[in-house]
Amino acid sequence: MKPTIRKVVDNDMCVGCGACAVATRGAIEMRRGRHGFYVAELAHAADDVLAAASRVCPFAHEAADEDAIAARVIEDMPFSDPRLGKYLSIHAGRVAADAYLNDSSSGGMTSWLAGRLLEEGLVDGVIHVGRGDDELFSYSVSRSLDEIRTRRKSAYYSTSFAAAVEAIRGDGLRYAFIGVPCFVRAARLACLEDPALARQLRYFIGLVCGHLKSAAFAEFLAWQCGVAPDEVKAVDFRVKAPGRDAGRYDFAVQRKGASDWITRPTFTLQGGNWGHGMFQLNACNYCDDIFAETADVVFGDAWLPEYRADWRGTNIALTRNATIARLLAEGRQRGELVLDALAPERAAESQGGNFRHRREGLAVRLADDRRAGRWVPLKRVAPGSVPLGRRRKALVRQRRAISEASHRLFAEARAAASLEQFVAAVQPLVARYDRLNGPGLLARLRARLRRLLRPGAKH
Ligand SMILES: Cc1cc2nc3c(=O)[nH]c(=O)nc-3n(C[C@H](O)[C@H](O)[C@H](O)COP(=O)(O)OP(=O)(O)OC[C@H]3O[C@@H](n4cnc5c(N)ncnc54)[C@H](O)[C@@H]3O)c2cc1C
Ligand code: SF4
Ligand code: SF4
């Protein structure tokens, strides 16, 4: 079999993780393409290099899937769920100190745990994403509590872990790795190929993931705040808004040369609705792992009514490692964490949209691709295996159309220095999605009939 990593890159399914660069010790390089996301550069790679890279690429046929990896790297767990993977405990919770929460995206438990692993001497550093020097965000290595606390909040932005992992390789120290599910899977695969690296990457902390955005997402939101793409110095995707629903957070941008931040509610900005999938990487159309099933622990937002209402933010936390479960329990005993036990159904419910997009939607996309004769990665969801109505299928396809078009349209608008050009071009696609997502004709007719038949209704 020819190494399938080439199919991954040629079909625009590379997520930019950098595992192939790590596994081939730089024989494959990573570059940020014109559409603002990292892609592996395979042009000069020989077949043996490609074969090694394919074994660690989360979209290549040669790579073990999430179930197979979890069977090797996660200890036996008392529970397992097809939506969540293996697990030991599930909680909703947050860091108890309100002052801490302002600089975290959600309940602050991800950075809290990274800090505890360091304080306990279980790791010497943390590999995670923070503000970058040459880029808005990049993978960095934090070696102190201060550094861990400085690098907080969600980076909805394409990054690659290749350079950060290369920087620590062979230094004899131990690290925790934080990443979205496919990055964790890719880093695990790299460790399975390289026992010395596995001895260094000791803990894997996953982030629940909806999809990954190209750099254009930050630029588009910033542009709407009056800061043109080349003027952007820094962005904050998750500014908390006291009194508001936790999901209705703000976006903030800092202009080069300025110290103040311009802040707008994200829901008032176009592109801020994640359902539209604007600037989503194509790789995310081929992903079925929502709860980072190969990670030792995964954190997300508890998007459930009773927690959403609290603007401070609440995490969902699912553990697969006894040491981490112990650290969380001790955190609660010491009053550092507030935790409520959560049933698996509720954990899955908190990510309803993600399951619709990545399990039901994936079945539709795979069937579409097969029909069109396109190469597809091997997934745990079979093509066409989830029966969906016509309208729902059309919605899945429209979302994909928005993602696909948004990259090209934004690059053109950026070159023309015209925000209006992008908005005018993307708006009809979004309007069609919103129509499909609203009540259907039958539902609208029924509602109208009910109104007409209401006693006292004017005819
Ligand atoms: C691309 C993306 C999509 C997401 N989609 C969802 C979703 O659909 N549903 C959901 O419930 N949650 C989602 N999350 C997770 C959510 O946004 C929060 O990151 C999570 O709840 C942790 O919040 P916290 O307050 O505990 O983290 P904090 O205390 O703010 O700490 C965040 C930690 O994560 C690290 N980090 C941030 N971004 C990245 C990144 N891109 N790669 C690696 N490390 C990173 C930081 O370095 C820091 O250590 C997503 C996160 C990302 C990055
Ligand atoms: S390993 Fe990661 S960076 Fe390399 S081709 Fe696969 S998805 Fe892209
Ligand atoms: S949706 Fe899947 S493929 Fe996309 S970034 Fe998240 S985990 Fe990776």
Side-chain angles (χ1 to χ4, degrees), residues 22 32 68 77 175 252 257 333 347 353 369:
V22 170
R32 196 184 283 281
M77 292 283 122
Y175 296 88
Q333 272 161 16
D369 283 357

Side-chain angles (χ1 to χ4, degrees), residues 5 8-9 13-21 30 39-40 42 53 56-59:
I5 192 168
V8 173
V9 173
M13 294 169 186
C14 170
V15 79
C17 61
C20 54
M30 301 302 302
V39 181
L42 305 182
V56 301
C57 173
F59 298 94

Side-chain angles (χ1 to χ4, degrees), residues 81-135:
D81 183 294
R83 297 159 299 184
L84 313 174
K86 301 204 272 186
Y87 67 94
L88 190 53
S89 64
I90 312 178
H91 289 95
R94 71 169 71 86
V95 171
D98 280 359
Y100 185 88
L101 294 174
N102 249 349
D103 293 318
S104 279
S105 276
S106 178
M109 289 178 67
T110 313
S111 49
W112 177 90
L113 176 69
R116 287 296 297 129
L117 289 169
L118 192 75
E119 283 178 323
E120 285 272 311
L122 293 165
V123 298
D124 305 294
V126 178
I127 303 170
H128 60 154
V129 171
R131 296 238 157 85
D133 295 330
D134 307 326
E135 310 174 288

Side-chain angles (χ1 to χ4, degrees), residues 158-175:
S158 161
T159 58
S160 163
F161 61 68
V165 170
E166 275 312 307
I168 61 96
R169 195 201 276 276
D171 69 5
L173 301 175
R174 303 148 307 154
Y175 296 88

Side-chain angles (χ1 to χ4, degrees), residues 171-228:
D171 69 5
L173 301 175
R174 303 148 307 154
Y175 296 88
F177 176 92
I178 305 183
V180 289
C182 62
F183 277 46
V184 171
R185 178 179 168 206
R188 285 282 202 192
L189 286 165
C191 287
L192 288 173
E193 292 291 316
D194 182 346
L197 187 62
R199 283 193 289 278
Q200 288 197 265
L201 302 189
R202 291 291 180 89
Y203 291 94
F204 290 82
I205 302 178
L207 297 171
V208 170
C209 181
H211 61 260
L212 193 55
K213 303 282 196 186
S214 75
F217 180 56
E219 292 174 354
F220 181 43
L221 298 184
W223 216 351
Q224 292 172 74
C225 298
V227 182

Side-chain angles (χ1 to χ4, degrees), residues 116-422:
R116 287 296 297 129
L117 289 169
L118 192 75
E119 283 178 323
E120 285 272 311
L122 293 165
V123 298
D124 305 294
V126 178
I127 303 170
H128 60 154
V129 171
R131 296 238 157 85
D133 295 330
D134 307 326
E135 310 174 288
L136 288 184
F137 297 94
S138 62
Y139 261 94
S140 312
V141 184
S142 292
R143 298 180 192 279
S144 69
L145 265 188
D146 267 1
E147 284 180 328
I148 290 172
R149 286 180 182 163
T150 308
R151 297 185 175 120
R152 278 195 272 166
K153 292 207 174 175
S154 309
Y156 302 132
Y157 194 88
S158 161
T159 58
S160 163
F161 61 68
V165 170
E166 275 312 307
I168 61 96
R169 195 201 276 276
D171 69 5
L173 301 175
R174 303 148 307 154
Y175 296 88
F177 176 92
I178 305 183
V180 289
C182 62
F183 277 46
V184 171
R185 178 179 168 206
R188 285 282 202 192
L189 286 165
C191 287
L192 288 173
E193 292 291 316
D194 182 346
L197 187 62
R199 283 193 289 278
Q200 288 197 265
L201 302 189
R202 291 291 180 89
Y203 291 94
F204 290 82
I205 302 178
L207 297 171
V208 170
C209 181
H211 61 260
L212 193 55
K213 303 282 196 186
S214 75
F217 180 56
E219 292 174 354
F220 181 43
L221 298 184
W223 216 351
Q224 292 172 74
C225 298
V227 182
D230 291 335
E231 292 283 290
V232 177
K233 178 166 100 183
V235 301
D236 183 340
F237 291 110
R238 298 274 302 246
V239 180
K240 294 186 181 185
R244 235 193 260 149
D245 175 310
R248 289 171 85 77
Y249 45 79
D250 290 343
F251 168 80
V253 55
Q254 209 176 21
R255 192 190 298 275
K256 281 179 186 159
S259 55
D260 57 328
W261 289 83
I262 302 165
T263 305
R264 300 267 188 284
T266 308
F267 60 86
T268 64
L269 301 173
Q270 298 192 53
N273 178 343
W274 280 64
H276 292 152
M278 225 182 265
F279 309 117
Q280 178 204 282
L281 269 55
N282 185 41
C284 307
N285 282 323
Y286 300 92
C287 172
D288 57 31
D289 182 2
I290 290 123
F291 275 86
E293 295 176 37
T294 65
D296 295 305
V297 60
V298 57
F299 294 103
D301 287 282
W303 295 133
L304 295 166
E306 63 272 37
Y307 298 113
R308 255 197 117 103
D310 192 325
W311 66 271
R312 292 172 299 174
T314 310
N315 282 124
I316 193 147
L318 181 149
T319 67
R320 304 188 180 95
N321 175 292
T323 304
I324 290 177
R326 171 180 64 79
L327 291 177
L328 297 192
E330 287 172 3
R332 169 154 63 180
Q333 272 161 16
R334 288 208 304 258
E336 290 179 25
L337 296 179
V338 179
L339 296 177
D340 301 334
L342 208 63
E345 288 68 34
R346 307 254 27 238
E349 189 188 329
S350 79
Q351 304 298 325
N354 277 337
F355 282 103
R356 283 191 293 279
H357 173 46
R358 308 255 290 289
R359 299 283 171 96
E360 296 173 8
L362 176 56
V364 174
R365 290 186 295 273
L366 289 174
D368 285 353
D369 283 357
R370 279 270 182 89
R371 219 172 296 118
R374 281 196 285 265
W375 181 89
V376 289
L378 298 172
K379 302 312 306 177
R380 296 174 300 173
V381 173
S385 58
V386 187
L388 283 190
R390 276 220 335 251
R391 200 178 162 80
R392 191 78 212 158
K393 280 187 186 164
L395 189 76
V396 169
R397 291 173 181 141
Q398 187 59 18
R399 187 175 205 266
R400 189 177 189 177
I402 295 174
S403 304
E404 202 174 304
S406 61
H407 298 295
R408 176 180 46 82
L409 294 173
F410 192 79
E412 288 167 6
R414 208 179 185 284
S418 170
L419 172 62
E420 294 71 27
Q421 177 179 319
F422 177 72

